[in-house]
Amino acid sequence: QKEVEQNSGPLSVPEGAIASLNCTYSDRGSQSFFWYRQYSGKSPELIMSIYSNGDKEDGRFTAQLNKASQYVSLLIRDSQPSDSATYLCAVFYGNNRLAFGKGNQVVVIP
Amino acid sequence: GAGVSQSPSNKVTEKGKDVELRCDPISGHTALYWYRQSLGQGLEFLIYFQGNSAPDKSGLPSDRFSAERTGGSVSTLTIQRTQQEDSAVYLCASSLGTANEKLFFGSGTQLSVL
């Protein structure tokens, strides 16, 4: 099993709709979870971090963590064309190594 | 500096040649990471430095890859006898050094092996 899995293909959402992204991870002991956004040809930038079970909201973004089921999700509300990017899930492992998923491409259609 | 600086931004080399990629982290950041990103793929962990501790080299794909960090600051990733499959974007990131800290990424080095 891969350390961090993001299995969904490209996600197309109409402007103003909710984009939902999911991520699962293999290490039950992981404590720190992140979502990075990467525009085409650019470097990743952090948009959300979450450490406790439940929801964490920041503007139009909500991260959800369920440690028992080992998944993390990201919701983007009121999606805008500027949200079109690849979203990378990242999980810190015990030796301080940050492992990334392959990413999910989001396309917001005006 | 204001951000993580990587050089060169682009490197074209011939198969079999050695290349050196440089990363200058944010001042005061004790943790430094190297990742590799192939076209359309996620980030593949290569190596992690934390202060003066022994680096975590568990992600280096072969013994042709090595990295060092001098004085706890600048890092150099060296690829010997480059192969075409080494072509990728090599990203460096730094952080304050704990597991909860945000990683700041450099703009990367696009390596093309012909």
Side-chain angles (χ1 to χ4, degrees), chain B residues 45-83:
Chain B
F45 168 79
L46 296 178
I47 189 168
Y48 161 67
F49 296 90
Q50 171 57 56
N52 294 320
S53 302
D56 175 356
K57 305 179 182 180
S58 60
L60 294 178
S62 78
D63 58 8
R64 296 186 296 105
F65 289 72
S66 63
E68 63 177 19
R69 189 178 184 192
T70 54
S73 182
V74 172
S75 177
T76 301
L77 177 68
T78 301
I79 309 173
Q80 296 178 310
R81 305 181 302 281
T82 52
Q83 303 295 312

Side-chain angles (χ1 to χ4, degrees), chain B residues 86-100:
Chain B
D86 299 334
S87 297
V89 176
Y90 289 80
L91 289 163
C92 175
S94 71
S95 77
L96 287 172
T98 68
N100 293 345

Side-chain angles (χ1 to χ4, degrees), chain A residues 45-92:
Chain A
E45 57 178 340
L46 181 71
I47 55 170
M48 289 289 289
S49 59
I50 187 166
Y51 312 108
S52 303
N53 279 329
D55 295 359
K56 179 182 178 182
E57 187 174 315
D58 184 359
R60 295 185 296 107
F61 297 97
T62 298
Q64 300 173 316
L65 173 61
N66 184 322
K67 291 184 180 180
S69 300
Q70 295 174 238
Y71 83 78
V72 193
S73 62
L74 179 71
L75 300 177
I76 308 173
R77 291 183 303 281
D78 187 24
S79 295
Q80 302 297 308
S82 59
D83 295 327
S84 297
T86 296
Y87 291 81
L88 300 164
C89 175
V91 177
F92 251 117

Side-chain angles (χ1 to χ4, degrees), chain B:
Chain B
V4 178
S5 177
Q6 290 189 247
S7 61
S9 56
N10 282 282
K11 177 71 176 179
V12 180
T13 190
E14 294 179 349
K15 178 182 173 181
K17 296 288 179 80
D18 298 351
V19 295
E20 283 190 354
L21 312 180
R22 177 188 167 103
C23 173
D24 199 343
I26 294 172
S27 178
H29 280 193
T30 60
L32 187 148
Y33 298 78
W34 282 98
Y35 289 89
R36 177 169 71 174
Q37 188 172 34
S38 301
L39 190 63
Q41 300 299 308
L43 275 68
E44 176 188 4
F45 168 79
L46 296 178
I47 189 168
Y48 161 67
F49 296 90
Q50 171 57 56
N52 294 320
S53 302
D56 175 356
K57 305 179 182 180
S58 60
L60 294 178
S62 78
D63 58 8
R64 296 186 296 105
F65 289 72
S66 63
E68 63 177 19
R69 189 178 184 192
T70 54
S73 182
V74 172
S75 177
T76 301
L77 177 68
T78 301
I79 309 173
Q80 296 178 310
R81 305 181 302 281
T82 52
Q83 303 295 312
Q84 289 184 330
E85 60 264 28
D86 299 334
S87 297
V89 176
Y90 289 80
L91 289 163
C92 175
S94 71
S95 77
L96 287 172
T98 68
N100 293 345
E101 291 295 335
K102 169 183 178 179
L103 262 63
F104 293 81
F105 282 85
S107 55
T109 294
Q110 172 72 64
L111 176 65
S112 301
V113 182
L114 304 180

